[in-house]
Amino acid sequence: MSWNSFGRVFRFTTWGESHGPAIGVVVDGCPPGLALSEADIQPWLDKRRPGQSRFTTQRQEPDQVRILSGVFEGRTTGTPISLVIDNVDQRSKDYSEVAQAYRPGHADYAYDAKYRLRDYRGGGRSSARETAARVAAGAVARLVIPEVTIRAWVAEIGGDAVQSFDAGEIDRNPFFCPDAAAAARWETLIDGARKAGSSLGAIVACEATGVAAGWGAPLYAKLDAELAAAAMSINAVKGVEIGDGFAAARLSGEENADRMRPGDGAPAFDSNHAGGIAGGIATGQPVRLRVAFKPTSSILTPVDTITRDGEATEIATKGRHDPCVGIRGAPVVEAMMALVLADQKLLHRAQCG
Amino acid sequence: MSWNSFGRVFRFTTWGESHGPAIGVVVDGCPPGLALSEADIQPWLDKRRPGQSRFTTQRQEPDQVRILSGVFEGRTTGTPISLVIDNVDQRSKDYSEVAQAYRPGHADYAYDAKYRLRDYRGGGRSSARETAARVAAGAVARLVIPEVTIRAWVAEIGGDAVQSFDAGEIDRNPFFCPDAAAAARWETLIDGARKAGSSLGAIVACEATGVAAGWGAPLYAKLDAELAAAAMSINAVKGVEIGDGFAAARLSGEENADRMRPGDGAPAFDSNHAGGIAGGIATGQPVRLRVAFKPTSSILTPVDTITRDGEATEIATKGRHDPCVGIRGAPVVEAMMALVLADQKLLHRAQCG
Amino acid sequence: MSWNSFGRVFRFTTWGESHGPAIGVVVDGCPPGLALSEADIQPWLDKRRPGQSRFTTQRQEPDQVRILSGVFEGRTTGTPISLVIDNVDQRSKDYSEVAQAYRPGHADYAYDAKYRLRDYRGGGRSSARETAARVAAGAVARLVIPEVTIRAWVAEIGGDAVQSFDAGEIDRNPFFCPDAAAAARWETLIDGARKAGSSLGAIVACEATGVAAGWGAPLYAKLDAELAAAAMSINAVKGVEIGDGFAAARLSGEENADRMRPGDGAPAFDSNHAGGIAGGIATGQPVRLRVAFKPTSSILTPVDTITRDGEATEIATKGRHDPCVGIRGAPVVEAMMALVLADQKLLHRAQCG
Amino acid sequence: MSWNSFGRVFRFTTWGESHGPAIGVVVDGCPPGLALSEADIQPWLDKRRPGQSRFTTQRQEPDQVRILSGVFEGRTTGTPISLVIDNVDQRSKDYSEVAQAYRPGHADYAYDAKYRLRDYRGGGRSSARETAARVAAGAVARLVIPEVTIRAWVAEIGGDAVQSFDAGEIDRNPFFCPDAAAAARWETLIDGARKAGSSLGAIVACEATGVAAGWGAPLYAKLDAELAAAAMSINAVKGVEIGDGFAAARLSGEENADRMRPGDGAPAFDSNHAGGIAGGIATGQPVRLRVAFKPTSSILTPVDTITRDGEATEIATKGRHDPCVGIRGAPVVEAMMALVLADQKLLHRAQCG
């Protein structure tokens, strides 16, 4: 089954392949009356855009978004918002080899097993290019939750984690890294991997503040379950944590308890092991999410594989690729956080007024 | 918003509170003609059932399931299957204190923030008792995927991980532990926590073999995204990994590549870092999932909190609780795996015949 | 595919067969804090209940509803509300013949074609008995829309239409007929049909006042489209009209125009050909729906048919049946109107605040 | 709530306004491997295209469709199919008056009541222009059900019904009329209405043959309920009938019984009052649907109305309009029939293999 929609009342549907004429997204259920133009979306796309440093793919995509519907005289009308981004810099000839052989770690074999045919150019639908559509939709979602601030950063690359956190630093380096020293180390790390024809994994952290206590939805649209699905649906993601995540499994009950005290209006919490969510519902604390990206599967180093006909061969993925997909994953995680929160805000309003 | 259904074509809806008269589940979309009686469901409920050792809550629930619809002359009819489990051993008086004060780590405060009222008896809807309904639904799901074998076990408790794997061992100890030596250590560990009025976290691993290459659904019903949502929707879960999960973020591209070779019918893979899923679609390898459970939030040690009126107080959760909820989480993870796979199998059949 | 849920944010899922132990419904998404007890539901079930006059089936079902979840201390908690109605007066032996031969007009053959097996006792899942579950859910829906008044009546039986409308009359006769003279004629008509071993069709009209302008949802959850689906999902329904319905196809544009004038707060309309809906959205005028019920398919007069094995035979449906299913359809149409409106109210609130 | 998607596994989402740059549709869940190019879609759009005779609006839209995704080397890939149709002949200045005053029978007032703002150019999202997107999606749906033949025609205009049926005649006149004599009469009728500044309603009939017994879905995705929702979601539709529809309410049980006899493979039916559907499931007979279109609300004759500020005024809708929207409704009804059947075929396959 193909299932290219996400969300329950604030919903979006993406379409498009890496090397087709365009990609796009239809955002449905957006409240009316919000000021929206391409200028509200473009900056977020620019953050995710490839070809901006030597640490990401050299594919040059301007990623100019056009709004084709749902906006009138500068405001959302409540009808579906169609966003389109043209593909400009396809070089499909790079992919002739991929047509015949399966790249390990890629979706090539799985798509063939499912559909018996696939658009092999740049990974087709399974390409991370699709995430541009999410980022565009996420920009709309942000307008629905102006009270929320979302911030994602890369917390670790190739096992080397940040040691300090300076929010102002995040946008000053090509890694969305909040620690200048780590950013410097990562430069070396990634250059090394690139030269070796290898690639690196990364961990992206994301925090949302201003989420109202009460958003969320027991039981099968829990805020954390929605975030987990949203994050895991991003290319190359293999793990998701809320709050302390796996580390919580090693704490005792007393250590893990987020004690409460009388606060100013809302309760004050001594800690936030829970990552701002209890029973699937926001507590009003910052919502904390961590996402593990595997190393880019496209590597220059040849690896053993098979052809479509089942013959042994080996493949080296030339093309143009991110040596560490996790880096450009940061704006995507941010977008998915915005999309989930916008949906949950509207769902909460539906039931609880 | 309340959202108590899960699945896309094989769907289930659960209902019921910890201390209400009963809990239950309606399973919709089940294929017709499958042999089904209470005897197919009961053994799975028995595995999850409380009160079977001193390592789980002492609440005595027989958890006898009744089938109220959807089965005729021993076979599913294709119409909704209603399963009901009576609550027998409620002791609601245990919860009078909870009515007034918020238990840190529990959903008490979040539910009040959302709904302005809550059924505080035993946590009401947020109680892990709801997972019995999932296990019952999961037993039906297993009939839809007889070609699949699912096995969950506890891989770690309180930071102490298994060192060996003997599948036969899993059902021989009260911890679903595949390592007899670890099981012995855990006994001491949990007894210690219980006596100290504390609790422990755990990691549950789950593996499904026999999943056909091709099941899964780009992009927003990816097999891994569905599993992540399913796992994260279980009480006390804070992290989810597919395949190598967070460890994959520390591998290089070559290390992480699951090389392929000509196989017997299907391709042979040298490794399974991906956990049997690429691009959201099954590769035919075992599907591997790991789930982190936080320590039980209900602890005897008093912790600071506030009352519904915002006054400082402290609370010790007496009642009857699991010192380590992760243990009984194993059968629940197994059930969710079955439910997701059954749904994906039918979805795949819908689109790809 | 089996699909037993209806609604988008205020959703319900029904289950149960005519001759199983019980039928029921799970209502999900209900706002919290609404006063709800069995006493709020029972009167509506009593209106639909069989065996109350000689003009409906003689099956004696007390239709006592029990609330198993979602209500605490007399108020809805926002969690799923499970309602169960036991089946008491099954006489399954009446249906032995139906097991082997297909009743024309019934779902017998279609179910067998779909599922290859069926619960033939009383029509199983295809029995109108399922509508009791809708009526129970509808009673909950009414609490969500206290500002709305819904009134259904039988407007025509066997081609004999009401000539006058007295709302007070509706509950004074066994036909939900607003015209005492018509009710008297229908008595003769139905007695005649019953004695002849025949049955009659009917048209049910339903009107909802107090629906706020703005409820509704372009394009595929239009208020009229939802009502059409809701009505057509009721057993024996073959036609649905909004406002003037088919008669509108015979009006000119000027005749059909609902002219507007300045009103008191809201605009005043000169007419309501549109039935209170324009572009799928409520205009604030009364929402008007008409529903055609075919004559009961279960008739004593023998008709030609075939057996499961394809042999020619004839069948006379003995059992206990309504000579005119449309009569008891009136409370069901009313319930579906309430369910659709409750859902649309919450959907509107989600998007438009 | 805005809800612009339809379908359960074969789903489509439309977007676009009458006078925006383009309209479009994303079709998701389409099986892979189907031969598809623009040439498969264009002929259906051409049938619905405006400006082809003096009996439809004079707006000149080429309605050229472009496929932007989901097709590779001439075959569907199983990923979402994005179809776009540019708007070419907008004349938005025609609509300046509509910005200030509400056209009776149009969605103007209802949209304002809902969203507090609206794209008034040509009705914006509420324009029948959106139905071009459905027709495009319907062309894709037809590929999923090659075994089914769908045929819609106009059965009545302004109360003047066809007296004979010649399928070959349907495409020989500008009314989709199967009766040459009626077509001649309608010419006069519509010319008269147009000259009088008036408009006419119509009834469209649609028949699908080749629908396999078993498609359909009890209870809330019944084939007839889906068709009713699909038809009622079309602009200007006020009534829907399956089989004999309202006429069935005037038949006796014996008259209405579709008697069965042993047939060749499938059973033979003596009649088809039921319109090919029993209990929401196809019987294998032709599926018969009738749809009532109200007269076009846009008329030249001035009618009383109010302004956005609630002042009395009158409005005559100049612009370019169909004197009878029902005519171009025929290809749209056909498309919706195809879309519902494709979805139900896949749903049936999901559950019943």
Side-chain angles (χ1 to χ4, degrees):
Chain A
M1 195 58 227
S2 176
W3 208 284
N4 294 277
S5 301
F6 190 89
R8 295 172 193 268
V9 294
F10 184 93
R11 277 153 303 120
F12 67 95
T13 302
T14 71
W15 55 267
E17 280 81 41
S18 179
H19 288 220
I23 60 171
V25 60
V26 182
V27 178
D28 200 6
C30 184
L34 304 174
L36 175 65
S37 75
E38 278 87 352
D40 295 298
I41 304 172
Q42 200 59 54
W44 304 108
L45 282 170
D46 290 345
K47 284 185 72 171
R48 197 212 70 101
R49 191 153 59 84
Q52 302 190 92
S53 80
R54 71 177 186 275
F55 306 107
T56 60
T57 170
Q58 293 309 298
R59 179 169 170 175
Q60 293 293 337
E61 286 292 348
D63 278 356
Q64 290 293 318
V65 69
R66 283 178 296 142
I67 301 175
L68 294 189
S69 69
V71 176
F72 181 61
E73 296 181 344
R75 299 205 166 264
T76 58
T77 57
T79 60
I81 301 166
S82 176
L83 305 175
V84 175
I85 300 165
D86 288 329
N87 286 330
V88 169
D89 186 26
Q90 311 101 307
R91 295 194 200 156
S92 298
K93 64 177 158 20
D94 290 349
Y95 293 95
S96 48
E97 194 180 13
V98 177
Q100 292 310 319
Y102 297 129
R103 295 167 299 170
H106 276 280
D108 302 341
Y109 169 69
Y111 267 65
D112 256 10
K114 184 174 194 66
Y115 297 119
R116 307 290 161 201
L117 85 172
R118 73 192 143 98
D119 180 348
Y120 51 77
R121 300 164 306 162
R125 182 70 182 148
S126 73
S127 164
R129 178 128 192 82
E130 184 267 351
T131 60
R134 307 182 188 212
V135 169
V140 180
R142 286 170 198 267
L143 304 177
V144 179
I145 47 168
E147 68 273 46
V148 174
T149 303
I150 303 174
R151 194 163 55 190
W153 62 92
V154 178
E156 185 178 317
I157 287 184
D160 181 1
V162 297
Q163 305 298 324
S164 63
F165 185 89
D166 173 358
E169 193 61 36
I170 295 173
D171 288 326
R172 271 192 230 119
N173 60 70
F175 309 112
F176 305 110
C177 176
D179 170 353
R185 295 195 306 270
W186 292 353
E187 204 166 314
T188 315
L189 206 57
I190 296 175
D191 275 337
R194 202 157 39 94
K195 283 168 195 160
S198 182
S199 64
L200 295 167
I203 294 173
V204 171
C206 184
E207 191 178 82
T209 54
V211 176
W215 295 5
L219 281 169
Y220 299 109
K222 281 181 171 175
L223 180 49
D224 36 3
E226 297 285 277
L227 287 172
M232 198 65 95
S233 74
I234 302 171
N235 309 51
V237 170
K238 303 305 286 184
V240 183
E241 297 182 314
I242 301 293
D244 285 4
F246 279 82
R250 285 131 200 172
L251 298 178
S252 71
E254 309 90 85
E255 290 165 339
N256 187 60
D258 293 319
R259 288 164 179 78
M260 301 172 79
R261 298 185 192 287
D264 187 14
F269 289 86
D270 285 7
S271 54
N272 187 12
H273 298 289
I277 303 173
I281 299 174
T283 61
Q285 292 187 280
V287 172
R288 297 198 298 115
L289 170 71
R290 273 166 59 91
V291 182
F293 287 82
K294 68 177 182 182
T296 314
S297 295
S298 301
I299 51 175
L300 269 168
T301 305
V303 286
D304 294 321
T305 191
I306 58 172
T307 65
R308 289 198 67 176
D309 303 323
E311 304 293 314
T313 185
E314 67 176 23
I315 195 163
T317 313
K318 286 152 210 146
R320 298 159 298 173
H321 302 286
D322 289 278
C324 174
V325 283
I327 297 171
R328 293 206 291 136
V332 181
V333 169
E334 232 179 70
M336 295 307 290
M337 174 70 86
L339 287 158
V340 167
L341 291 174
D343 192 33
Q344 291 283 354
K345 178 182 179 176
L346 300 190
L347 275 171
H348 178 67
R349 189 157 77 182
Q351 189 182 22
C352 300
Chain B
M1 195 61 229
S2 176
W3 209 285
N4 294 278
S5 300
F6 190 90
R8 296 173 193 267
V9 294
F10 184 93
R11 276 154 303 122
F12 67 94
T13 302
T14 72
W15 55 269
E17 279 81 42
S18 180
H19 288 220
I23 61 172
V25 60
V26 182
V27 179
D28 199 6
C30 184
L34 304 174
L36 175 66
S37 75
E38 279 87 351
D40 295 297
I41 304 172
Q42 200 60 51
W44 304 107
L45 282 169
D46 291 346
K47 282 185 73 173
R48 196 212 70 102
R49 192 152 60 83
Q52 303 190 93
S53 80
R54 73 177 185 276
F55 306 106
T56 60
T57 170
Q58 293 309 297
R59 181 169 169 174
Q60 294 293 336
E61 287 292 349
D63 278 357
Q64 291 294 317
V65 68
R66 282 177 297 141
I67 301 175
L68 295 189
S69 70
V71 176
F72 181 61
E73 297 182 344
R75 299 205 167 261
T76 59
T77 57
T79 61
I81 302 167
S82 176
L83 305 175
V84 175
I85 301 165
D86 289 327
N87 285 330
V88 169
D89 186 26
Q90 310 102 306
R91 294 192 200 160
S92 298
K93 63 176 159 21
D94 289 347
Y95 292 96
S96 48
E97 194 180 12
V98 178
Q100 292 311 317
Y102 297 129
R103 295 168 298 170
H106 276 281
D108 301 342
Y109 169 69
Y111 267 65
D112 256 11
K114 184 174 195 68
Y115 297 120
R116 309 290 162 200
L117 83 172
R118 73 191 142 97
D119 180 348
Y120 51 77
R121 301 165 305 162
R125 182 69 182 150
S126 73
S127 165
R129 178 129 192 80
E130 184 267 351
T131 59
R134 305 182 189 213
V135 169
V140 180
R142 287 170 197 268
L143 303 178
V144 177
I145 46 167
E147 67 273 46
V148 174
T149 303
I150 302 173
R151 192 163 54 190
W153 61 92
V154 179
E156 184 180 317
I157 286 183
D160 181 2
V162 297
Q163 304 298 325
S164 64
F165 185 89
D166 174 358
E169 192 61 35
I170 295 173
D171 289 325
R172 268 190 232 122
N173 60 69
F175 308 112
F176 304 110
C177 177
D179 170 353
R185 295 195 305 271
W186 292 353
E187 202 166 316
T188 313
L189 206 56
I190 295 175
D191 275 339
R194 201 154 41 92
K195 282 168 195 161
S198 183
S199 65
L200 294 167
I203 294 173
V204 170
C206 183
E207 191 178 80
T209 54
V211 176
W215 294 5
L219 280 168
Y220 300 109
K222 280 181 171 175
L223 180 49
D224 35 3
E226 297 286 277
L227 287 171
M232 199 65 94
S233 74
I234 302 171
N235 309 51
V237 169
K238 303 304 286 185
V240 183
E241 296 182 313
I242 301 293
D244 284 3
F246 279 83
R250 285 134 199 169
L251 298 178
S252 70
E254 310 89 87
E255 290 164 341
N256 188 59
D258 294 318
R259 289 164 179 76
M260 300 172 80
R261 298 184 192 287
D264 188 14
F269 290 86
D270 284 7
S271 54
N272 187 11
H273 297 287
I277 304 173
I281 300 174
T283 60
Q285 292 186 279
V287 173
R288 297 197 297 117
L289 171 72
R290 274 165 58 91
V291 182
F293 288 81
K294 68 178 181 181
T296 314
S297 296
S298 302
I299 50 176
L300 269 169
T301 305
V303 286
D304 293 321
T305 192
I306 58 171
T307 66
R308 290 198 66 175
D309 303 324
E311 304 292 316
T313 184
E314 67 176 23
I315 194 164
T317 314
K318 284 153 211 148
R320 298 160 296 173
H321 303 286
D322 288 278
C324 174
V325 282
I327 298 171
R328 291 205 293 135
V332 181
V333 169
E334 231 178 71
M336 295 307 288
M337 174 70 87
L339 288 157
V340 167
L341 291 175
D343 192 32
Q344 292 282 355
K345 178 182 179 177
L346 300 191
L347 275 171
H348 178 67
R349 189 157 76 183
Q351 190 183 21
C352 300
Chain C
M1 194 59 227
S2 175
W3 209 285
N4 294 277
S5 301
F6 190 89
R8 295 172 193 267
V9 295
F10 184 93
R11 276 155 302 120
F12 68 94
T13 302
T14 71
W15 55 267
E17 280 82 42
S18 179
H19 288 220
I23 61 171
V25 59
V26 182
V27 178
D28 200 5
C30 184
L34 304 175
L36 175 66
S37 75
E38 279 87 352
D40 296 298
I41 304 172
Q42 200 59 53
W44 305 107
L45 282 169
D46 290 346
K47 282 184 74 171
R48 196 212 71 101
R49 192 153 59 83
Q52 302 190 92
S53 80
R54 72 177 185 276
F55 305 106
T56 60
T57 170
Q58 295 308 299
R59 180 169 169 174
Q60 294 292 336
E61 286 292 348
D63 277 356
Q64 291 293 317
V65 68
R66 283 176 297 139
I67 300 174
L68 295 189
S69 69
V71 176
F72 181 60
E73 297 181 344
R75 299 205 166 261
T76 59
T77 57
T79 60
I81 302 167
S82 176
L83 305 175
V84 175
I85 300 165
D86 288 328
N87 286 330
V88 169
D89 186 27
Q90 310 102 306
R91 295 195 200 155
S92 298
K93 62 176 161 18
D94 289 348
Y95 292 96
S96 47
E97 193 181 12
V98 177
Q100 292 311 318
Y102 297 128
R103 295 167 299 170
H106 276 281
D108 301 342
Y109 169 68
Y111 267 65
D112 256 11
K114 182 173 195 67
Y115 297 120
R116 308 287 162 203
L117 82 173
R118 74 192 143 98
D119 180 347
Y120 51 77
R121 300 166 306 163
R125 183 68 182 150
S126 73
S127 165
R129 178 128 192 81
E130 185 266 351
T131 60
R134 305 182 189 214
V135 169
V140 180
R142 287 170 198 266
L143 303 178
V144 178
I145 46 167
E147 68 272 46
V148 174
T149 303
I150 302 174
R151 193 163 54 190
W153 62 92
V154 178
E156 183 179 317
I157 287 183
D160 181 2
V162 297
Q163 305 299 325
S164 64
F165 184 88
D166 174 358
E169 192 62 35
I170 295 173
D171 288 326
R172 270 191 231 120
N173 59 69
F175 308 112
F176 305 110
C177 177
D179 169 354
R185 296 194 305 270
W186 293 353
E187 204 167 313
T188 314
L189 207 57
I190 297 175
D191 275 338
R194 202 155 41 92
K195 282 168 195 160
S198 183
S199 64
L200 295 167
I203 294 174
V204 171
C206 184
E207 190 178 81
T209 55
V211 175
W215 294 6
L219 280 166
Y220 300 108
K222 281 181 171 175
L223 181 48
D224 35 3
E226 297 286 276
L227 287 172
M232 199 65 94
S233 74
I234 302 171
N235 308 51
V237 170
K238 302 305 285 185
V240 184
E241 296 182 314
I242 301 293
D244 284 4
F246 278 83
R250 285 133 199 171
L251 298 178
S252 70
E254 310 89 85
E255 290 165 339
N256 188 59
D258 294 318
R259 289 164 179 77
M260 301 171 79
R261 300 184 193 286
D264 188 15
F269 289 86
D270 284 6
S271 55
N272 188 11
H273 298 288
I277 303 173
I281 300 174
T283 61
Q285 292 187 280
V287 172
R288 298 197 297 116
L289 171 72
R290 274 165 59 90
V291 182
F293 287 82
K294 68 177 182 182
T296 314
S297 296
S298 302
I299 50 176
L300 269 168
T301 304
V303 285
D304 293 321
T305 191
I306 58 172
T307 66
R308 290 198 67 177
D309 303 323
E311 304 293 315
T313 185
E314 67 175 25
I315 194 164
T317 313
K318 287 153 208 146
R320 298 160 297 173
H321 302 287
D322 288 278
C324 173
V325 282
I327 298 171
R328 293 205 292 134
V332 181
V333 169
E334 231 178 70
M336 295 307 288
M337 174 70 86
L339 287 157
V340 167
L341 291 175
D343 193 32
Q344 291 283 356
K345 178 182 180 177
L346 301 190
L347 275 170
H348 178 67
R349 189 158 77 181
Q351 191 183 20
C352 300
Chain D
M1 194 62 227
S2 176
W3 208 285
N4 294 277
S5 301
F6 190 89
R8 296 173 193 268
V9 296
F10 184 92
R11 277 154 302 121
F12 67 95
T13 302
T14 72
W15 55 268
E17 280 82 41
S18 179
H19 288 219
I23 60 171
V25 60
V26 183
V27 179
D28 200 5
C30 184
L34 305 175
L36 175 65
S37 75
E38 279 87 352
D40 296 297
I41 304 173
Q42 200 60 52
W44 305 107
L45 283 170
D46 291 345
K47 283 185 72 171
R48 195 213 72 101
R49 193 153 59 83
Q52 302 191 95
S53 80
R54 71 177 187 275
F55 306 106
T56 60
T57 171
Q58 294 308 300
R59 180 169 170 174
Q60 293 292 337
E61 287 292 350
D63 278 357
Q64 291 293 318
V65 68
R66 283 177 298 141
I67 301 175
L68 295 189
S69 69
V71 176
F72 182 61
E73 298 181 342
R75 299 205 166 262
T76 59
T77 57
T79 61
I81 301 166
S82 176
L83 305 175
V84 175
I85 300 165
D86 288 327
N87 286 330
V88 169
D89 186 25
Q90 310 104 307
R91 294 193 201 160
S92 299
K93 63 176 159 21
D94 289 349
Y95 292 96
S96 48
E97 194 181 13
V98 178
Q100 292 311 318
Y102 297 128
R103 294 168 298 170
H106 275 282
D108 302 342
Y109 169 69
Y111 267 65
D112 256 10
K114 183 174 195 69
Y115 297 120
R116 307 291 162 202
L117 83 173
R118 73 192 143 98
D119 180 347
Y120 50 77
R121 301 165 305 162
R125 183 69 181 149
S126 73
S127 165
R129 177 127 192 83
E130 184 266 351
T131 59
R134 305 182 190 213
V135 169
V140 180
R142 287 170 199 265
L143 304 178
V144 178
I145 46 168
E147 68 272 46
V148 174
T149 303
I150 303 174
R151 194 164 53 190
W153 62 92
V154 178
E156 184 180 317
I157 287 184
D160 181 1
V162 297
Q163 304 298 325
S164 63
F165 185 89
D166 172 358
E169 193 61 35
I170 295 173
D171 288 325
R172 270 191 231 121
N173 60 69
F175 309 111
F176 304 111
C177 177
D179 169 354
R185 295 195 307 270
W186 293 353
E187 205 167 312
T188 314
L189 206 57
I190 295 175
D191 275 338
R194 202 154 40 94
K195 283 168 194 161
S198 182
S199 64
L200 295 167
I203 294 174
V204 171
C206 184
E207 190 177 82
T209 53
V211 176
W215 294 5
L219 280 167
Y220 299 109
K222 281 181 171 174
L223 180 49
D224 36 2
E226 298 285 276
L227 287 172
M232 198 66 95
S233 74
I234 302 171
N235 309 52
V237 170
K238 303 305 284 184
V240 184
E241 298 182 313
I242 300 293
D244 284 4
F246 278 83
R250 285 134 199 170
L251 298 179
S252 71
E254 309 89 86
E255 289 164 340
N256 187 59
D258 293 318
R259 289 164 179 76
M260 300 171 80
R261 300 186 191 284
D264 187 15
F269 289 86
D270 284 7
S271 55
N272 187 12
H273 298 287
I277 304 173
I281 300 173
T283 60
Q285 292 186 278
V287 172
R288 297 197 298 116
L289 171 71
R290 273 165 60 91
V291 182
F293 286 81
K294 67 176 182 183
T296 314
S297 296
S298 302
I299 50 176
L300 269 168
T301 304
V303 286
D304 294 321
T305 191
I306 58 172
T307 66
R308 290 198 67 178
D309 303 323
E311 304 293 315
T313 185
E314 66 176 25
I315 195 163
T317 313
K318 286 153 211 145
R320 297 160 298 173
H321 303 287
D322 288 278
C324 174
V325 283
I327 298 171
R328 293 206 291 136
V332 181
V333 169
E334 231 178 71
M336 296 307 289
M337 173 71 86
L339 288 158
V340 167
L341 291 175
D343 192 33
Q344 292 283 354
K345 178 181 178 176
L346 301 191
L347 275 170
H348 178 67
R349 189 158 76 183
Q351 189 182 23
C352 299

